[in-house]
Amino acid sequence: MVECGPAPAQRPILEMHGITKRFPGVLALDGVDFSMRRGEVHALMGENGAGKSTLIKVLTGVYPRDAGEIVFDGQAIAPRSPLEAQHLGISTIYQEVNLVPHLSVAENIFLGRQPGRAWWIDWRAIHEKAGALLAGFGLRLDVGRSLASYPVAIQQMVAIARAVDISAKLLIMDEPTSSLDEGEVARLFDIIRTLKAKGVAVLFITHFLDQAFAIADRLTVLRNGALVGTYETAKLTRLELIGHMLGKDPAAVAAMEREKASPAAGAGKPLLEAKGLGRRGAVEPLDLTVREGEVLGLAGLLGSGRTEVARLLFGVDRATSGNVRVGGVAVKLRSPRAAVRLGIGFCPEDRKSDGILPDLSVRENIVLAVQRRLARCGIVSRARQLEVAEKFIRLLGIVVSGPEQPARTLSGGNQQKVILARWLAMSPRLLILDEPTRGIDVGAKAEVERLVEELSRDGMAVVFISSELEEVVRRSHRVAVLRDRRKVAELTGGEIDEQAIMHIIAGGEADA
């Protein structure tokens, strides 16, 4: 571990020592040490599940810690709620705006601390102060309008203005730029630099590497609930940071030579062609082609835009630019229903929230996407449902007591297979797999990867998204690399290896 200690003149405003947090069956934080200096911008980095959110929730009183101590502004603290943490001078701005949408902008900024006396509220003062505060952020708004009437980016800036006006000593920003465009990000960074000059410590949680290097003085990396290290930004390369986040030694990765046996890409006809496809605030316009019998890998760190691309291709989110052709025919992907009719299936990243229906049986989960096809005179026969369910239980080796077993009682790997079975039952032309191996054991991972290979061999097009670079390299005929919501490169055949992908994610650096 590399730890950069503060100079004597830079007494930390925050010190967290040996922070441990357990949940049933999970060690979320394992003796983590973390510190921040006054007037410092400190980026907290790590992949999904690294422990970033848990550390922040322990600090702000959402979760009680199981071990360790927290010293803030020279005093030991143990906040029991975010409000108590706020009273101590620790304010948090979350990725999803945590304000009251039906109240006005001014009411949201001064909620709980309105100027006035007893039962009387000085509305003129509220509006004047809110307008002046937002003007300092470069925003000229009608503060009497409801917050919900403004776009998410403006709501995010209002949340920041409220937090700053509370006079926080430590301001935590959890993915604050996720809904902002480049101009709004630049404005936010100007605000952060102003806060820094006033001595406010800013903890900046982000998955955007370019932004972390642009604004942070130091970076702390967590992985699997443990501290990897704290580093001076100016002394760290992007490739080194990615290596720390992914658990890879950049020097070792550079020395690796991988053999990849796979058929040449491009043998099949183009199935899906996207030109200039994008969504404002989610992913920049990009071109993407997926061919019959091809596995197209989407590589990049969390937050790079991989899932956003998948959601556009399946019609979960509507594109604000570009066009799509399926089988050479121009189509409109306005909803998942439209995508399903075109023969597109989608296994989402979060199988618990967006994939499996836990209270339904395995049978009901599997036949969900093919009910219309199975129906006769508007009625779906139970015998036909069982026939389809049992076929895919056998085909995928789903471990169940029977088709009527509730899906919630299955292991994670078997739940993942049930979702796969659902889409395979509709015989899709294109199957989008977003993190299909996340949270499942090694054996189940191998089975999912084997299935992907077999599907492509049988002519199905597959879009394969995984945070595990080894999986992307092993299974993809082509790899589109995304960074900061943009497609920045495309690799084919022998070009595909971990070293190449890591260099591209790091911005093309060749110094490691």
Side-chain angles (χ1 to χ4, degrees):
M1 183 190 77
V2 178
E3 180 67 32
C4 304
Q10 296 176 302
R11 183 169 61 87
I13 189 169
L14 172 69
E15 295 176 276
M16 303 177 75
H17 300 291
I19 302 299
T20 298
K21 180 61 186 176
R22 294 181 178 86
F23 297 104
V26 177
L27 180 59
L29 293 173
D30 187 7
V32 172
D33 295 337
F34 178 74
S35 68
M36 287 191 65
R37 303 164 182 165
R38 300 173 189 274
E40 172 189 41
V41 180
H42 196 126
L44 186 59
M45 311 288 290
E47 283 286 87
N48 192 30
K52 305 185 300 297
S53 295
T54 304
L55 185 68
I56 296 311
K57 288 177 179 178
V58 167
L59 172 61
T60 56
V62 177
Y63 298 148
R65 61 186 183 267
D66 295 324
E69 64 174 352
I70 304 174
V71 177
F72 182 71
D73 202 15
Q75 295 185 342
I77 64 169
R80 292 166 292 182
S81 69
L83 181 60
E84 189 173 326
Q86 183 175 298
H87 289 156
L88 293 168
I90 304 172
S91 190
T92 306
I93 302 163
Y94 294 100
Q95 178 178 359
E96 297 181 0
V97 179
N98 193 21
L99 297 177
V100 186
H102 65 270
L103 295 183
S104 71
V105 170
E107 287 174 302
N108 270 284
I109 290 176
F110 290 99
L111 190 63
R113 50 196 186 93
Q114 299 92 333
R117 295 180 179 178
W119 53 269
W120 175 72
I121 296 176
D122 190 342
W123 290 107
R124 175 178 292 182
I126 285 178
H127 283 77
E128 289 178 353
K129 289 183 178 181
L133 179 63
L134 292 171
F137 286 74
L139 295 175
R140 304 286 179 180
L141 304 179
D142 178 357
V143 297
R145 278 177 53 184
S146 70
L147 183 70
S149 68
Y150 288 101
V152 174
I154 297 297
Q155 295 181 33
Q156 187 73 275
M157 300 298 281
V158 171
I160 292 169
R162 171 181 165 82
V164 170
D165 193 58
I166 293 174
S167 300
K169 300 174 185 177
L170 169 60
L171 182 59
I172 301 169
M173 295 185 171
D174 187 0
E175 297 286 356
T177 63
S178 60
S179 303
L180 308 184
D181 61 26
E182 290 185 8
E184 292 159 342
V185 170
R187 184 186 303 168
L188 173 62
F189 281 9
D190 287 340
I191 294 168
I192 291 175
R193 293 184 184 103
T194 300
L195 295 173
K196 175 182 173 181
K198 294 179 179 179
V200 177
V202 179
L203 178 53
F204 189 78
I205 305 172
T206 184
H207 289 109
F208 298 139
L209 269 65
D210 290 348
Q211 293 180 8
F213 277 94
I215 197 66
D217 301 300
R218 290 191 299 161
L219 304 101
T220 288
V221 178
L222 301 181
R223 188 174 69 249
N224 298 329
L227 174 67
V228 176
T230 298
Y231 312 90
E232 297 287 348
T233 307
K235 298 178 181 178
L236 189 69
T237 69
R238 284 168 172 77
L239 194 59
E240 288 171 336
L241 174 59
I242 294 168
H244 293 315
M245 291 173 64
L246 298 179
K248 300 288 184 183
D249 181 352
V253 172
M256 281 195 314
E257 292 185 1
R258 283 188 170 272
E259 293 185 359
K260 182 174 180 291
S262 64
K269 298 178 182 178
L271 175 65
L272 182 146
E273 300 168 277
K275 301 291 184 183
L277 188 69
R279 178 177 171 86
R280 185 182 180 277
V283 63
E284 298 294 324
L286 54 79
D287 295 344
L288 208 63
T289 299
V290 192
R291 298 177 179 274
E292 295 173 351
E294 176 185 53
V295 179
L296 174 67
L298 296 188
L301 296 178
L302 195 66
S304 61
R306 300 169 308 181
T307 294
E308 288 78 3
V309 170
R311 290 171 63 90
L312 288 177
L313 295 179
F314 193 60
V316 178
D317 298 327
R318 288 197 182 185
T320 55
S321 66
N323 57 77
V324 177
R325 300 177 73 84
V326 175
V329 179
V331 300
K332 297 291 186 182
L333 296 174
R334 291 175 173 160
S335 68
R337 179 177 295 179
V340 168
R341 287 174 178 166
L342 291 166
I344 301 174
F346 179 39
C347 294
E349 176 181 9
D350 189 344
R351 63 174 174 265
K352 292 187 181 299
S353 298
D354 302 326
I356 206 76
L357 297 176
D359 293 327
L360 296 186
S361 69
V362 171
R363 167 184 56 83
E364 292 167 316
N365 269 278
I366 290 176
V367 302
L368 197 62
V370 291
Q371 299 253 30
R372 177 174 295 188
R373 185 184 303 175
L374 298 178
R376 293 181 180 177
C377 300
I379 300 173
V380 182
S381 122
R382 187 183 185 89
R384 182 69 177 122
Q385 291 184 36
L386 284 171
E387 181 183 339
V388 172
E390 289 172 348
K391 171 185 174 181
F392 285 98
I393 288 172
R394 289 193 305 270
L395 180 66
L396 299 182
I398 303 173
V399 180
V400 292
S401 60
E404 301 307 316
Q405 181 175 344
R408 68 173 181 274
T409 63
L410 301 182
S411 67
N414 283 296
Q415 288 183 359
Q416 192 71 287
K417 290 180 183 179
V418 168
I419 300 171
L420 281 169
R422 175 189 303 162
W423 295 112
L424 293 179
M426 65 169 271
S427 302
R429 303 163 71 189
L430 168 63
L431 183 58
I432 303 168
L433 302 176
D434 191 359
E435 298 286 5
T437 63
R438 172 169 290 169
I440 62 179
D441 61 40
V442 174
K445 282 187 178 185
E447 290 183 25
V448 170
E449 287 192 45
R450 175 188 54 78
L451 178 62
V452 169
E453 185 177 349
E454 290 178 357
L455 293 174
S456 66
R457 192 182 300 125
D458 291 340
M460 188 182 297
V462 179
V463 174
F464 186 77
I465 303 172
S466 176
S467 299
E468 301 290 336
L469 291 184
E470 298 95 330
E471 293 180 356
V472 175
V473 169
R474 278 197 302 270
R475 294 297 162 221
S476 303
H477 303 114
R478 283 188 299 125
V479 174
V481 184
L482 289 90
R483 183 180 69 238
D484 294 348
R485 305 174 184 168
R486 293 180 176 86
K487 177 186 169 185
V488 293
E490 190 170 293
L491 305 177
T492 304
E495 298 172 342
I496 302 173
D497 62 35
E498 289 184 61
Q499 177 192 3
I501 293 172
M502 289 178 68
H503 272 280
I504 293 167
I505 293 174
E509 288 190 6
D511 57 341

